[in-house]
Amino acid sequence: MLRAASTDVPVLVRDTDTDTDTDTGLGCPCMSGSSIEVETPALVIDAGAFAANLERGRREFTRGGLRYRAHAKAHKSAVIARKQIEHGAVGVCCAKLGEAEALARKGISDMLITTPVIGMTKVRRLVDLQRLARVAAVVDEAQNAKEIASTAESAGVEVDLLVEVDVGQNRCGVRSPDAALQLTRVIEASTGTRFLGLQGYQGRSQLVPDFRERQAQAMASADRLRAVVDRLSEAGIVPEILTGGGTGTSAIDVEIGRLRELQPGSYIFMDTTYAGIEWDLDCNPPPFHPALSVAATVISRPSSTCVIVDAGLKALSSDSGIPRVKGTDAARYSFAGDEHGTVDYDHGQAPSIGAQLELVPSHCDTTVNLFDEFVVVRAGAIEEVWSIDARGRMH
Amino acid sequence: MLRAASTDVPVLVRDTDTDTDTDTGLGCPCMSGSSIEVETPALVIDAGAFAANLERGRREFTRGGLRYRAHAKAHKSAVIARKQIEHGAVGVCCAKLGEAEALARKGISDMLITTPVIGMTKVRRLVDLQRLARVAAVVDEAQNAKEIASTAESAGVEVDLLVEVDVGQNRCGVRSPDAALQLTRVIEASTGTRFLGLQGYQGRSQLVPDFRERQAQAMASADRLRAVVDRLSEAGIVPEILTGGGTGTSAIDVEIGRLRELQPGSYIFMDTTYAGIEWDLDCNPPPFHPALSVAATVISRPSSTCVIVDAGLKALSSDSGIPRVKGTDAARYSFAGDEHGTVDYDHGQAPSIGAQLELVPSHCDTTVNLFDEFVVVRAGAIEEVWSIDARGRMH
């Protein structure tokens, strides 16, 4: 159960059955009687865990002189992007142009869009956006690079481009060193575009639980990127930036030393899936803490061992499995529809109607995308509310 | 491929490889050069299929003098709610108080919240909302009913309440006829609340593919509701409204004749899961048409049989399986991350970069919740854009 940090802050909603802390009656932020009032389902950041992740990220991702550009797809929030930059990130990545636009409007000035920006309308938006911020993009085919180049030339700006290289994900990216070289030359041929470097991201490796297997995959990706670097080098071209990697392979990528810029996103919140990977050869857990939860309220109590809560598929993503009930191993959440969840307790300990509990998502990125704001809680009290500026900004 | 309906409306984006219709190069709305510009991923309503569903719903759900109150959780849109009311619905249902608030602000005046409204803050909001609209709610325990009653009394209003009865879903609802009677008496004891009737909803039955099995479940639910009606009757209480059912059991519920008000939601859009159920003993498909799709753009083309599109887990819900590629059986979508999808084609027919295609969701409700607006398309041209007013209104 969360408690108020000081007498200035109202005590949070409690298990209605009891006035003392219990494992099952975890509270959630609700400043009743205050000008701000947060109700469930609410997306809650644990300020302490979040701050620890920020600081640990700075240390982890800058080892050996490496740079990092935190991936904002995880949080979609300018406030958090700014904090990451204050903690040593050289800027942020965005998955979509719309994300970059939303963050640029809130003052984020250095971004990389990690997915190709396709179609003339989007290309024009990308070029227009350069007036607000420096926004680099990735390309994997010539036509797109040429469209960006000519649009940028007409507008009198220069767009930084990276060639995306498929390093094993079978998603976007050029498939060979020769294709990368050809595309690089297209970029270099125009005054509207500047060749900044290469992106080689292997998302499938990030969540491989076994450390050695993840390490082997990261090394294979690094080899594929190296082959492209070598080919460019033969042609006298040296990429300024080699970017890729994520939270899961970050420690490995630091050791390999191939990438010059990491793109970690999930470290800031973690989720139950990430928490399950072996971080190193000693099978330690990741050095980051679960910092995100969805606060939910008990709305019905079918029995002494079962309650229904007000958070279902529209409040918690299900693509990576079911959420965990925070603070107890004796309760199990299951989805019970779009707006309902069932929580089963091992013994007759189910909280009463009106009690609140917290659920830890199995996948933070897709859960964050369901909400408009983060409620930041420290010691049981609301500290701040942060806007999720790019929520739903898919295009 | 979608085409412009008239010369006033720009021709939509096409497969960049060809200027003729193809199965694989399905277009999507994009009014370039216009003041409105819709880009992918976009949530598209097929105006013709939607209108047919509206009209068919009116016929299906009012047979034998039955009333229907369409469930707005499926669309969260005041425009659609109004159209349903114009097509004979007596009002709409909402899953959450926040949905009802959003729709009331847009002029929807008769609603039922089908999930208990728990906690004093929400109870106050429910009572306040009565000034804007008639908003009934369900209850399944006395404390909640009393809180609503006393708050309503203080405000000088009367809130219509229905007792929710568990008719087999094991979710919310009282579990016995005696419990229902007891709760009904609590409601009747206060001038702040009026007993309107019973809700008995069995969500699990709705998508049972086998007709006979679905029928058996609907009959079992009707029996459970009848037992409560009988108990109330013995006590001299006649519920005005018996509400429940959904799209899947609607035809069966009409035959059983137990419910007096149906709550169909999914009929308005349908999805691939619903489309797979046997509608009747003759194994006919449902009489409603798929009316919703997510338009996506090809952003990379790894091979002649595979493309990457710009719609992943943040644009298409995955809780009920993978989406279907509209208009062809020779292509299969798979999720390739939060912002990416892979579409594999049987033969060397994959569309080129920039081409657009449409994906039919496996679950409309949770997909709608990811977007802020519907793009309504008729004969390939954008007809209107409708706001999803209650998107993300979870509390």
Side-chain angles (χ1 to χ4, degrees):
Chain A
M1 184 177 299
L2 302 175
R3 286 180 164 285
S6 79
T7 51
D8 293 328
V9 182
V11 173
L12 302 178
V13 170
R14 295 159 176 232
D15 186 311
T16 54
D17 257 356
T18 163
D19 217 14
T20 60
D21 286 358
T22 68
D23 272 342
T24 55
L26 298 171
C28 108
C30 179
M31 295 180 73
S32 57
S34 157
S35 60
I36 178 175
E37 192 151 63
V38 176
E39 291 174 40
T40 65
L43 190 62
V44 174
I45 289 179
D46 176 324
F50 175 85
N53 290 347
L54 263 180
E55 185 52 40
R56 183 67 186 238
R58 180 214 296 267
R59 294 213 311 274
E60 285 289 324
F61 310 137
T62 57
R63 283 193 287 140
L66 205 70
R67 296 148 55 99
Y68 76 108
R69 179 178 291 278
H71 214 309
K73 76 194 280 298
H75 55 71
K76 292 174 169 273
S77 158
V79 172
I80 296 180
R82 204 165 293 120
K83 287 180 187 293
Q84 290 174 315
I85 292 165
E86 287 164 6
H87 284 75
V90 296
V92 294
C93 296
C94 293
K96 295 291 185 97
L97 175 61
E99 274 177 23
E101 288 171 334
L103 298 185
R105 275 185 217 115
K106 291 289 187 85
I108 304 303
S109 59
D110 192 328
M111 291 179 272
L112 162 65
I113 301 169
T114 58
T115 312
V117 176
I118 296 296
M120 278 309 295
T121 309
K122 284 196 172 72
V123 164
R124 278 192 291 268
R125 285 165 52 200
L126 172 65
V127 168
D128 286 349
L129 190 54
Q130 305 298 321
R131 294 195 192 109
L132 265 186
R134 175 183 176 267
V135 183
V138 301
V139 289
D140 76 357
E141 56 102 36
Q143 177 63 23
N144 183 221
K146 287 175 185 166
E147 286 172 1
I148 296 171
S150 62
T151 309
E153 263 177 23
S154 301
V157 301
E158 191 183 51
V159 179
D160 287 336
L161 293 183
L162 293 93
V163 170
E164 176 157 24
V165 178
D166 175 32
V167 292
Q169 186 158 19
N170 294 318
R171 209 167 65 177
C172 299
V174 295
R175 306 270 149 165
S176 71
D178 282 341
L181 175 59
Q182 230 172 339
L183 187 52
T184 300
R185 285 189 164 138
V186 170
I187 297 168
E188 291 200 318
S190 167
T191 56
T193 48
R194 188 171 79 97
F195 175 68
L196 190 63
L198 304 173
Q199 171 174 280
Y201 176 70
Q202 171 39 312
R204 291 185 191 170
S205 304
Q206 300 307 318
L207 287 163
V208 171
D210 182 88
F211 175 77
R212 283 190 190 280
E213 172 60 22
R214 198 165 71 254
Q215 187 181 42
Q217 289 189 18
M219 290 177 76
S221 294
D223 286 345
R224 291 176 76 149
L225 196 63
R226 178 184 199 137
V228 175
V229 173
D230 290 348
R231 184 73 191 88
L232 294 184
S233 177
E234 286 163 25
I237 301 167
V238 180
E240 187 181 322
I241 300 293
L242 298 177
T243 180
T247 299
T249 59
S250 58
I252 300 163
D253 289 326
V254 168
E255 294 305 320
I256 296 173
R258 172 71 42 202
L259 296 170
R260 293 188 208 138
E261 206 170 279
L262 294 181
Q263 301 183 0
S266 300
Y267 79 100
I268 202 70
F269 293 140
M270 298 303 282
D271 50 42
T272 62
T273 310
Y274 251 115
I277 71 170
E278 298 170 359
W279 191 251
D280 51 28
L281 268 179
D282 298 329
C283 305
N284 284 311
F288 304 104
H289 307 288
L292 195 76
S293 64
V294 171
T297 298
V298 174
I299 59 166
S300 188
R301 192 175 189 268
S303 78
S304 65
T305 60
C306 175
V307 295
I308 309 299
V309 296
D310 62 354
L313 291 164
K314 287 179 182 168
L316 288 150
S317 64
S318 62
D319 56 85
S320 299
I322 57 167
R324 185 170 61 74
V325 181
K326 188 171 171 177
T328 176
D329 292 326
R332 282 159 309 286
Y333 175 92
S334 50
F335 288 102
D338 299 351
E339 293 89 3
H340 300 76
T342 302
V343 183
D344 289 298
Y345 291 79
D346 284 342
H347 312 290
Q349 61 191 185
S352 49
I353 291 174
Q356 302 201 342
L357 42 92
E358 288 176 81
L359 303 161
V360 184
S362 55
H363 188 181
C364 282
D365 296 33
T366 45
T367 296
V368 167
N369 191 47
L370 300 171
F371 287 83
D372 292 309
E373 58 190 27
F374 296 108
V375 179
V376 185
V377 172
R378 188 186 300 275
I382 294 176
E383 198 170 72
E384 289 181 86
V385 175
W386 296 339
S387 169
I388 304 177
D389 309 287
R391 201 279 326 149
R393 294 300 305 266
M394 287 175 275
H395 48 67
Chain B
M1 184 177 298
L2 302 174
R3 285 180 166 285
S6 78
T7 52
D8 293 327
V9 182
V11 173
L12 302 179
V13 171
R14 295 157 177 234
D15 186 310
T16 53
D17 257 356
T18 164
D19 218 13
T20 59
D21 286 356
T22 68
D23 273 342
T24 53
L26 298 170
C28 109
C30 179
M31 294 180 73
S32 57
S34 157
S35 61
I36 177 174
E37 193 151 63
V38 176
E39 291 173 42
T40 66
L43 190 62
V44 174
I45 288 179
D46 176 324
F50 175 84
N53 290 346
L54 263 181
E55 185 51 41
R56 182 68 186 239
R58 178 214 295 267
R59 296 212 311 275
E60 286 290 324
F61 310 136
T62 58
R63 284 193 286 140
L66 204 71
R67 295 148 54 100
Y68 77 107
R69 180 178 290 277
H71 213 310
K73 75 195 281 297
H75 54 72
K76 292 174 171 271
S77 156
V79 173
I80 296 179
R82 205 165 293 121
K83 286 179 188 294
Q84 290 174 316
I85 292 165
E86 286 163 7
H87 284 76
V90 297
V92 294
C93 296
C94 293
K96 295 290 184 98
L97 175 60
E99 275 177 22
E101 289 171 333
L103 297 184
R105 276 186 217 116
K106 292 289 186 86
I108 305 302
S109 59
D110 192 328
M111 290 179 273
L112 163 64
I113 300 169
T114 58
T115 310
V117 176
I118 297 296
M120 278 310 294
T121 309
K122 284 196 172 70
V123 164
R124 279 192 291 267
R125 285 167 50 199
L126 172 64
V127 168
D128 286 348
L129 189 55
Q130 304 298 320
R131 294 194 192 110
L132 266 187
R134 174 183 177 266
V135 183
V138 301
V139 289
D140 77 356
E141 56 101 36
Q143 178 64 23
N144 182 221
K146 288 175 185 166
E147 285 172 1
I148 296 170
S150 62
T151 309
E153 263 176 24
S154 301
V157 300
E158 191 183 53
V159 178
D160 287 337
L161 292 183
L162 293 93
V163 170
E164 177 157 22
V165 178
D166 176 32
V167 292
Q169 185 157 22
N170 295 318
R171 208 167 65 178
C172 299
V174 296
R175 307 270 150 164
S176 73
D178 282 341
L181 175 60
Q182 230 172 340
L183 187 52
T184 300
R185 286 189 164 136
V186 170
I187 297 168
E188 291 200 317
S190 166
T191 56
T193 48
R194 187 170 80 96
F195 174 67
L196 190 63
L198 304 173
Q199 172 174 279
Y201 176 71
Q202 171 38 312
R204 290 184 191 171
S205 305
Q206 301 306 318
L207 287 164
V208 171
D210 182 87
F211 176 77
R212 282 189 191 283
E213 172 59 22
R214 197 165 72 253
Q215 188 182 40
Q217 288 190 18
M219 290 177 75
S221 293
D223 286 346
R224 291 177 76 150
L225 196 62
R226 178 183 199 138
V228 175
V229 173
D230 290 348
R231 184 74 192 87
L232 295 185
S233 176
E234 287 164 24
I237 300 168
V238 180
E240 186 181 321
I241 299 292
L242 298 176
T243 181
T247 299
T249 59
S250 59
I252 300 163
D253 289 326
V254 167
E255 295 304 320
I256 295 172
R258 171 70 42 204
L259 296 172
R260 292 186 209 139
E261 205 170 280
L262 294 181
Q263 301 182 0
S266 300
Y267 79 101
I268 202 70
F269 294 140
M270 300 301 284
D271 50 42
T272 61
T273 311
Y274 251 116
I277 71 171
E278 297 170 1
W279 190 251
D280 51 29
L281 268 179
D282 298 328
C283 305
N284 284 310
F288 304 104
H289 307 287
L292 195 75
S293 63
V294 171
T297 298
V298 174
I299 59 166
S300 188
R301 193 174 188 266
S303 77
S304 63
T305 60
C306 176
V307 295
I308 308 300
V309 296
D310 61 355
L313 292 163
K314 287 180 182 167
L316 288 151
S317 64
S318 62
D319 55 86
S320 298
I322 58 167
R324 184 171 61 74
V325 181
K326 187 172 173 179
T328 176
D329 291 327
R332 283 161 308 286
Y333 175 92
S334 49
F335 288 103
D338 299 351
E339 293 89 1
H340 300 76
T342 302
V343 183
D344 289 298
Y345 291 80
D346 284 343
H347 311 290
Q349 61 191 183
S352 48
I353 291 173
Q356 302 201 344
L357 42 91
E358 289 177 80
L359 303 160
V360 183
S362 55
H363 188 181
C364 283
D365 296 33
T366 45
T367 296
V368 167
N369 192 47
L370 300 170
F371 287 84
D372 292 310
E373 58 191 26
F374 297 108
V375 179
V376 185
V377 171
R378 189 185 300 274
I382 295 176
E383 198 170 72
E384 289 181 86
V385 174
W386 296 341
S387 169
I388 303 177
D389 309 287
R391 201 280 325 149
R393 294 300 305 267
M394 287 175 277
H395 49 65

